[in-house]
Amino acid sequence: MRPGVKITVDNKDSAPHTVTASGGKGGFDTGTIKGGATATFTAPGKPGSYPYFCDIHEYMKGKLTVRG
Ligand SMILES: [Cu+2]
């Protein structure tokens, strides 16, 4: 991803999930995305590695990489 681009995530599960920046680093949080729904958020403005998790299922984790 490039800094500041819009990212759309598609929840293909039937359960609700979120994409929430870990420790607030990067400042993104989709809020609850219902099953089958999409959400859009803005990528962080600085290159780096931004871990995220699901605020509903905290064992679900991922990482967003922003390249300058
Ligand atoms: Cu979840």
Side-chain angles (χ1 to χ4, degrees):
M1 296 294 169
R2 295 287 175 181
V5 297
K6 299 280 188 210
I7 299 172
T8 298
V9 288
D10 186 358
N11 181 2
K12 296 190 175 181
D13 196 10
S14 57
H17 299 288
T18 79
V19 178
T20 304
S22 297
K25 186 192 172 197
F28 54 90
D29 184 2
T30 61
T32 301
I33 313 166
K34 290 180 183 172
T38 62
T40 300
F41 65 96
T42 303
K46 289 184 177 175
S49 181
Y50 296 88
Y52 61 84
F53 67 103
C54 173
D55 200 29
I56 299 166
H57 314 98
E58 295 198 5
Y59 56 90
M60 295 182 161
K61 297 172 196 285
K63 189 165 62 176
L64 173 66
T65 302
V66 176
R67 298 178 206 280

